[in-house]
Amino acid sequence: MSSPAILPVTNQQATQSNTPAFRTFLSRLSSSLRDSLSQRRPWLELADRTSFARPDSLTDSISRIRKNLAYFKVNYAAIVSLVLAFSLLSHPFSLLVLLSLLGAWMFLYLFRSSDQPLVIFGRGFSDRETLLGLVVATVVVVFMTSVGSLLTSALTVGVAVVCLHGAFRVPDDLFLDEQEPANAGLLSFIGNSAAATSAAASVVAGRV
């Protein structure tokens, strides 16, 4: 007596069960982005030429960078993101590889219903096997191809631009809100970003 066939993950039932989790993730991501962007400072204030001056010392530079980072945190994050986006758009192959990797994580693991097995070429894969395969693929893509060096270079350029601006922008005219201390500014922004991925993280924790 033959065993019943294993249903592929691409059937209609699996697609319908994945939809709520995917929509929840997109909703949280969109909400987090809106909350973060609402904290951005005017770009004219960021580029005010009258507020630039050479720092007196390395200590003065570090102090300026910390204060400007707390005040312009969202603007700086946008600048780094734009540098990353420009680098990826100028290298379409790397962009395609990263999008494929992201799609594999999302639809083969994160938002795939746990009661629907993954079947490739007639062979079923457990959640642990799928996770291991995705981790290996991520390591190969990031560390053994030009994608990793491209991301590293883009991040280095973005951070350098932010540090250069922060070191030369005099922060004496900047006033943080009383509810937002300088040391907590960046942490708040990171917290909003982390909230966007909490749904995906909970899925991984539940599967492992």
Short mmCIF file of all heavy atoms in Angstrom, two decimals, residues 147-205:
data_model
loop_
_atom_site.label_atom_id
_atom_site.label_comp_id
_atom_site.label_asym_id
_atom_site.label_seq_id
_atom_site.Cartn_x
_atom_site.Cartn_y
_atom_site.Cartn_z
N VAL A 147 28.98 39.95 -3.11
CA VAL A 147 27.90 40.63 -2.40
C VAL A 147 28.38 41.13 -1.04
O VAL A 147 28.08 42.27 -0.64
CB VAL A 147 26.69 39.70 -2.24
CG1 VAL A 147 25.61 40.36 -1.39
CG2 VAL A 147 26.12 39.32 -3.59
N GLY A 148 29.12 40.30 -0.32
CA GLY A 148 29.60 40.71 1.00
C GLY A 148 30.51 41.91 0.94
O GLY A 148 30.37 42.86 1.73
N SER A 149 31.45 41.91 -0.01
CA SER A 149 32.37 43.05 -0.13
C SER A 149 31.62 44.31 -0.57
O SER A 149 31.96 45.42 -0.13
CB SER A 149 33.47 42.73 -1.13
OG SER A 149 32.94 42.43 -2.42
N LEU A 150 30.60 44.14 -1.39
CA LEU A 150 29.81 45.29 -1.82
C LEU A 150 29.07 45.91 -0.64
O LEU A 150 29.09 47.14 -0.46
CB LEU A 150 28.81 44.86 -2.90
CG LEU A 150 27.82 45.94 -3.37
CD1 LEU A 150 28.56 47.07 -4.07
CD2 LEU A 150 26.77 45.33 -4.31
N LEU A 151 28.45 45.08 0.18
CA LEU A 151 27.73 45.58 1.36
C LEU A 151 28.69 46.23 2.35
O LEU A 151 28.39 47.29 2.91
CB LEU A 151 26.97 44.44 2.03
CG LEU A 151 25.80 43.84 1.25
CD1 LEU A 151 25.20 42.67 2.01
CD2 LEU A 151 24.74 44.88 0.96
N THR A 152 29.85 45.60 2.54
CA THR A 152 30.84 46.16 3.46
C THR A 152 31.33 47.52 2.98
O THR A 152 31.45 48.48 3.76
CB THR A 152 32.02 45.20 3.63
OG1 THR A 152 31.54 43.94 4.12
CG2 THR A 152 33.04 45.76 4.60
N SER A 153 31.61 47.63 1.69
CA SER A 153 32.10 48.89 1.13
C SER A 153 31.04 49.98 1.25
O SER A 153 31.34 51.12 1.61
CB SER A 153 32.49 48.69 -0.34
OG SER A 153 33.51 47.72 -0.46
N ALA A 154 29.79 49.63 0.93
CA ALA A 154 28.71 50.62 1.00
C ALA A 154 28.50 51.09 2.43
O ALA A 154 28.32 52.29 2.69
CB ALA A 154 27.42 50.02 0.43
N LEU A 155 28.50 50.16 3.39
CA LEU A 155 28.34 50.55 4.79
C LEU A 155 29.50 51.41 5.27
O LEU A 155 29.30 52.37 6.02
CB LEU A 155 28.22 49.29 5.66
CG LEU A 155 26.89 48.55 5.60
CD1 LEU A 155 26.98 47.25 6.40
CD2 LEU A 155 25.75 49.42 6.14
N THR A 156 30.71 51.07 4.82
CA THR A 156 31.88 51.86 5.21
C THR A 156 31.76 53.29 4.70
O THR A 156 32.03 54.26 5.42
CB THR A 156 33.16 51.22 4.67
OG1 THR A 156 33.28 49.88 5.19
CG2 THR A 156 34.39 52.03 5.07
N VAL A 157 31.35 53.44 3.43
CA VAL A 157 31.18 54.77 2.86
C VAL A 157 30.08 55.53 3.59
O VAL A 157 30.24 56.72 3.93
CB VAL A 157 30.86 54.67 1.35
CG1 VAL A 157 30.49 56.04 0.79
CG2 VAL A 157 32.05 54.10 0.59
N GLY A 158 28.95 54.87 3.85
CA GLY A 158 27.86 55.53 4.54
C GLY A 158 28.24 55.99 5.94
O GLY A 158 27.94 57.12 6.34
N VAL A 159 28.90 55.12 6.70
CA VAL A 159 29.32 55.48 8.05
C VAL A 159 30.37 56.59 8.01
O VAL A 159 30.36 57.50 8.86
CB VAL A 159 29.87 54.24 8.78
CG1 VAL A 159 30.50 54.62 10.11
CG2 VAL A 159 28.75 53.23 9.01
N ALA A 160 31.26 56.55 7.02
CA ALA A 160 32.27 57.61 6.89
C ALA A 160 31.62 58.96 6.63
O ALA A 160 32.03 59.98 7.20
CB ALA A 160 33.25 57.26 5.78
N VAL A 161 30.62 58.99 5.76
CA VAL A 161 29.91 60.24 5.48
C VAL A 161 29.24 60.77 6.73
O VAL A 161 29.30 61.97 7.05
CB VAL A 161 28.88 60.03 4.35
CG1 VAL A 161 27.98 61.25 4.20
CG2 VAL A 161 29.58 59.73 3.03
N VAL A 162 28.60 59.88 7.49
CA VAL A 162 27.92 60.27 8.72
C VAL A 162 28.91 60.81 9.74
O VAL A 162 28.68 61.87 10.37
CB VAL A 162 27.14 59.08 9.30
CG1 VAL A 162 26.68 59.37 10.73
CG2 VAL A 162 25.93 58.75 8.42
N CYS A 163 30.03 60.12 9.92
CA CYS A 163 31.03 60.56 10.89
C CYS A 163 31.67 61.88 10.47
O CYS A 163 31.93 62.75 11.31
CB CYS A 163 32.11 59.49 11.06
SG CYS A 163 31.53 57.99 11.90
N LEU A 164 31.89 62.05 9.17
CA LEU A 164 32.48 63.30 8.68
C LEU A 164 31.54 64.48 8.94
O LEU A 164 31.97 65.54 9.42
CB LEU A 164 32.79 63.18 7.19
CG LEU A 164 33.55 64.34 6.56
CD1 LEU A 164 34.94 64.47 7.18
CD2 LEU A 164 33.66 64.15 5.04
N HIS A 165 30.27 64.28 8.63
CA HIS A 165 29.29 65.34 8.90
C HIS A 165 29.18 65.61 10.39
O HIS A 165 29.16 66.77 10.83
CB HIS A 165 27.93 64.96 8.33
CG HIS A 165 26.86 65.96 8.60
ND1 HIS A 165 26.14 65.97 9.79
CD2 HIS A 165 26.38 66.99 7.85
CE1 HIS A 165 25.27 66.97 9.76
NE2 HIS A 165 25.38 67.61 8.59
N GLY A 166 29.11 64.53 11.18
CA GLY A 166 28.95 64.70 12.62
C GLY A 166 30.14 65.40 13.27
O GLY A 166 29.98 66.14 14.24
N ALA A 167 31.35 65.18 12.73
CA ALA A 167 32.54 65.80 13.31
C ALA A 167 32.64 67.28 12.99
O ALA A 167 33.17 68.06 13.80
CB ALA A 167 33.79 65.07 12.81
N PHE A 168 32.12 67.70 11.83
CA PHE A 168 32.26 69.10 11.43
C PHE A 168 31.00 69.92 11.70
O PHE A 168 31.06 71.15 11.67
CB PHE A 168 32.60 69.18 9.93
CG PHE A 168 34.04 68.91 9.63
CD1 PHE A 168 34.50 67.61 9.48
CD2 PHE A 168 34.95 69.96 9.50
CE1 PHE A 168 35.84 67.35 9.22
CE2 PHE A 168 36.29 69.71 9.23
CZ PHE A 168 36.74 68.40 9.09
N ARG A 169 29.89 69.28 11.99
CA ARG A 169 28.66 70.01 12.27
C ARG A 169 28.65 70.41 13.75
O ARG A 169 28.62 69.56 14.65
CB ARG A 169 27.45 69.12 11.97
CG ARG A 169 26.19 69.83 11.48
CD ARG A 169 25.52 70.63 12.54
NE ARG A 169 24.25 71.20 12.04
CZ ARG A 169 23.50 72.00 12.73
NH1 ARG A 169 23.86 72.38 13.94
NH2 ARG A 169 22.39 72.47 12.22
N VAL A 170 28.67 71.71 14.02
CA VAL A 170 28.67 72.20 15.41
C VAL A 170 27.29 71.99 16.01
O VAL A 170 26.30 72.52 15.50
CB VAL A 170 29.05 73.69 15.47
CG1 VAL A 170 29.04 74.18 16.92
CG2 VAL A 170 30.40 73.93 14.82
N PRO A 171 27.18 71.23 17.09
CA PRO A 171 25.87 70.89 17.65
C PRO A 171 25.37 71.85 18.72
O PRO A 171 24.42 71.54 19.43
CB PRO A 171 26.11 69.51 18.25
CG PRO A 171 27.53 69.56 18.71
CD PRO A 171 28.26 70.47 17.74
N ASP A 172 26.00 73.01 18.85
CA ASP A 172 25.62 73.92 19.93
C ASP A 172 24.18 74.42 19.80
O ASP A 172 23.55 74.76 20.80
CB ASP A 172 26.56 75.12 19.96
CG ASP A 172 27.99 74.72 20.33
OD1 ASP A 172 28.15 73.61 20.87
OD2 ASP A 172 28.92 75.51 20.07
N ASP A 173 23.67 74.49 18.57
CA ASP A 173 22.31 75.01 18.37
C ASP A 173 21.26 73.90 18.34
O ASP A 173 20.10 74.15 18.04
CB ASP A 173 22.24 75.80 17.06
CG ASP A 173 22.59 74.93 15.85
OD1 ASP A 173 23.36 73.96 16.03
OD2 ASP A 173 22.09 75.24 14.74
N LEU A 174 21.66 72.68 18.65
CA LEU A 174 20.73 71.55 18.62
C LEU A 174 20.21 71.28 20.02
O LEU A 174 20.98 71.27 20.99
CB LEU A 174 21.42 70.29 18.07
CG LEU A 174 22.07 70.44 16.69
CD1 LEU A 174 22.69 69.11 16.27
CD2 LEU A 174 21.08 70.92 15.65
N PHE A 175 18.93 71.06 20.12
CA PHE A 175 18.31 70.81 21.42
C PHE A 175 17.45 69.55 21.31
O PHE A 175 16.45 69.54 20.59
CB PHE A 175 17.44 71.99 21.86
CG PHE A 175 18.23 73.26 22.06
CD1 PHE A 175 18.32 74.19 21.03
CD2 PHE A 175 18.90 73.50 23.25
CE1 PHE A 175 19.06 75.36 21.20
CE2 PHE A 175 19.63 74.67 23.43
CZ PHE A 175 19.71 75.59 22.40
N LEU A 176 17.86 68.51 22.04
CA LEU A 176 17.06 67.30 22.09
C LEU A 176 15.84 67.51 22.97
O LEU A 176 15.86 68.31 23.90
CB LEU A 176 17.89 66.14 22.65
CG LEU A 176 19.03 65.63 21.75
CD1 LEU A 176 19.86 64.63 22.53
CD2 LEU A 176 18.50 65.02 20.49
N ASP A 177 14.78 66.79 22.66
CA ASP A 177 13.59 66.86 23.50
C ASP A 177 13.93 66.38 24.91
O ASP A 177 14.79 65.52 25.11
CB ASP A 177 12.48 65.97 22.93
CG ASP A 177 12.04 66.49 21.56
OD1 ASP A 177 12.23 67.69 21.30
OD2 ASP A 177 11.53 65.68 20.76
N GLU A 178 13.26 66.91 25.90
CA GLU A 178 13.52 66.53 27.27
C GLU A 178 13.24 65.05 27.50
O GLU A 178 13.85 64.40 28.33
CB GLU A 178 12.66 67.36 28.23
CG GLU A 178 13.03 68.83 28.23
CD GLU A 178 12.17 69.61 29.20
OE1 GLU A 178 11.27 69.00 29.82
OE2 GLU A 178 12.39 70.82 29.35
N GLN A 179 12.28 64.50 26.74
CA GLN A 179 11.96 63.09 26.89
C GLN A 179 12.93 62.20 26.15
O GLN A 179 12.84 60.98 26.23
CB GLN A 179 10.53 62.81 26.37
CG GLN A 179 9.45 63.54 27.11
CD GLN A 179 9.26 64.97 26.61
OE1 GLN A 179 9.94 65.40 25.69
NE2 GLN A 179 8.34 65.69 27.22
N GLU A 180 13.87 62.76 25.41
CA GLU A 180 14.79 61.97 24.60
C GLU A 180 16.22 62.35 24.92
O GLU A 180 16.81 63.19 24.26
CB GLU A 180 14.51 62.19 23.11
CG GLU A 180 15.35 61.31 22.21
CD GLU A 180 15.07 61.60 20.76
OE1 GLU A 180 14.37 62.58 20.47
OE2 GLU A 180 15.56 60.86 19.91
N PRO A 181 16.83 61.77 25.94
CA PRO A 181 18.21 62.07 26.29
C PRO A 181 19.14 61.70 25.15
O PRO A 181 18.83 60.85 24.32
CB PRO A 181 18.47 61.19 27.52
CG PRO A 181 17.11 60.83 28.04
CD PRO A 181 16.21 60.81 26.85
N ALA A 182 20.31 62.33 25.15
CA ALA A 182 21.24 62.09 24.05
C ALA A 182 21.66 60.64 23.96
O ALA A 182 21.80 60.09 22.88
CB ALA A 182 22.48 62.98 24.24
N ASN A 183 21.86 59.98 25.11
CA ASN A 183 22.32 58.60 25.08
C ASN A 183 21.23 57.64 24.65
O ASN A 183 21.53 56.53 24.23
CB ASN A 183 22.82 58.18 26.48
CG ASN A 183 24.07 58.92 26.87
OD1 ASN A 183 24.82 59.36 26.01
ND2 ASN A 183 24.29 59.07 28.16
N ALA A 184 19.96 58.06 24.75
CA ALA A 184 18.87 57.16 24.41
C ALA A 184 18.34 57.38 23.01
O ALA A 184 17.49 56.63 22.54
CB ALA A 184 17.71 57.31 25.41
N GLY A 185 18.80 58.39 22.33
CA GLY A 185 18.26 58.70 21.01
C GLY A 185 18.42 57.58 20.02
O GLY A 185 17.47 57.15 19.38
N LEU A 186 19.67 57.09 19.87
CA LEU A 186 19.91 56.04 18.91
C LEU A 186 19.26 54.74 19.34
O LEU A 186 18.74 53.98 18.51
CB LEU A 186 21.42 55.83 18.75
CG LEU A 186 21.85 54.78 17.74
CD1 LEU A 186 21.34 55.15 16.35
CD2 LEU A 186 23.36 54.62 17.73
N LEU A 187 19.24 54.47 20.66
CA LEU A 187 18.62 53.24 21.14
C LEU A 187 17.14 53.21 20.83
O LEU A 187 16.58 52.16 20.52
CB LEU A 187 18.85 53.10 22.64
CG LEU A 187 20.31 52.93 23.08
CD1 LEU A 187 20.39 52.84 24.59
CD2 LEU A 187 20.93 51.70 22.44
N SER A 188 16.48 54.36 20.90
CA SER A 188 15.07 54.42 20.57
C SER A 188 14.82 54.08 19.11
O SER A 188 13.89 53.35 18.76
CB SER A 188 14.52 55.82 20.88
OG SER A 188 13.19 55.94 20.47
N PHE A 189 15.68 54.61 18.24
CA PHE A 189 15.53 54.34 16.82
C PHE A 189 15.77 52.86 16.52
O PHE A 189 15.04 52.24 15.75
CB PHE A 189 16.51 55.20 16.01
CG PHE A 189 16.52 54.90 14.54
CD1 PHE A 189 15.44 55.25 13.75
CD2 PHE A 189 17.60 54.27 13.96
CE1 PHE A 189 15.44 54.98 12.39
CE2 PHE A 189 17.61 53.99 12.62
CZ PHE A 189 16.53 54.35 11.82
N ILE A 190 16.78 52.27 17.16
CA ILE A 190 17.06 50.86 16.97
C ILE A 190 15.90 50.02 17.47
O ILE A 190 15.52 49.01 16.87
CB ILE A 190 18.37 50.47 17.67
CG1 ILE A 190 19.54 51.18 17.00
CG2 ILE A 190 18.58 48.97 17.65
CD1 ILE A 190 20.87 50.94 17.69
N GLY A 191 15.29 50.47 18.59
CA GLY A 191 14.16 49.73 19.12
C GLY A 191 12.98 49.70 18.17
O GLY A 191 12.32 48.68 18.01
N ASN A 192 12.71 50.83 17.51
CA ASN A 192 11.63 50.87 16.54
C ASN A 192 11.90 49.95 15.37
O ASN A 192 11.00 49.29 14.84
CB ASN A 192 11.44 52.31 16.04
CG ASN A 192 10.80 53.19 17.09
OD1 ASN A 192 10.12 52.70 17.98
ND2 ASN A 192 11.02 54.50 16.99
N SER A 193 13.16 49.89 14.94
CA SER A 193 13.51 49.03 13.82
C SER A 193 13.40 47.57 14.21
O SER A 193 12.96 46.74 13.41
CB SER A 193 14.94 49.35 13.35
OG SER A 193 15.05 50.69 12.95
N ALA A 194 13.81 47.26 15.43
CA ALA A 194 13.74 45.87 15.88
C ALA A 194 12.31 45.38 16.00
O ALA A 194 12.02 44.20 15.78
CB ALA A 194 14.45 45.71 17.22
N ALA A 195 11.39 46.27 16.34
CA ALA A 195 9.99 45.88 16.48
C ALA A 195 9.41 45.42 15.16
O ALA A 195 8.50 44.59 15.14
CB ALA A 195 9.18 47.05 17.02
N ALA A 196 9.93 45.91 14.05
CA ALA A 196 9.41 45.54 12.74
C ALA A 196 9.67 44.08 12.42
O ALA A 196 8.94 43.48 11.63
CB ALA A 196 10.03 46.42 11.66
N THR A 197 10.72 43.49 13.02
CA THR A 197 11.08 42.11 12.72
C THR A 197 10.71 41.14 13.84
O THR A 197 11.12 39.99 13.81
CB THR A 197 12.60 42.01 12.47
OG1 THR A 197 13.28 42.46 13.64
CG2 THR A 197 13.01 42.84 11.27
N SER A 198 9.95 41.60 14.82
CA SER A 198 9.61 40.74 15.95
C SER A 198 8.76 39.56 15.52
O SER A 198 8.88 38.46 16.07
CB SER A 198 8.88 41.56 17.03
OG SER A 198 7.70 42.12 16.52
N ALA A 199 7.88 39.76 14.55
CA ALA A 199 7.03 38.67 14.09
C ALA A 199 7.86 37.57 13.46
O ALA A 199 7.67 36.37 13.72
CB ALA A 199 6.00 39.18 13.09
N ALA A 200 8.83 37.96 12.62
CA ALA A 200 9.69 36.96 11.98
C ALA A 200 10.55 36.25 13.01
O ALA A 200 10.78 35.04 12.93
CB ALA A 200 10.58 37.64 10.93
N ALA A 201 11.05 36.98 14.00
CA ALA A 201 11.91 36.37 15.02
C ALA A 201 11.13 35.35 15.85
O ALA A 201 11.66 34.31 16.22
CB ALA A 201 12.49 37.43 15.93
N SER A 202 9.88 35.65 16.14
CA SER A 202 9.07 34.73 16.93
C SER A 202 8.82 33.43 16.16
O SER A 202 8.73 32.36 16.74
CB SER A 202 7.75 35.38 17.32
OG SER A 202 6.99 35.70 16.18
N VAL A 203 8.70 33.56 14.82
CA VAL A 203 8.51 32.37 14.00
C VAL A 203 9.74 31.48 14.06
O VAL A 203 9.65 30.25 14.21
CB VAL A 203 8.21 32.76 12.54
CG1 VAL A 203 8.17 31.54 11.65
CG2 VAL A 203 6.88 33.50 12.46
N VAL A 204 10.93 32.08 13.96
CA VAL A 204 12.17 31.31 14.02
C VAL A 204 12.32 30.63 15.37
O VAL A 204 12.67 29.47 15.47
CB VAL A 204 13.38 32.23 13.75
CG1 VAL A 204 14.68 31.45 13.94
CG2 VAL A 204 13.30 32.79 12.34
N ALA A 205 12.02 31.37 16.46
CA ALA A 205 12.16 30.81 17.80
C ALA A 205 11.19 29.63 18.01
O ALA A 205 11.51 28.67 18.68
CB ALA A 205 11.91 31.90 18.84
#
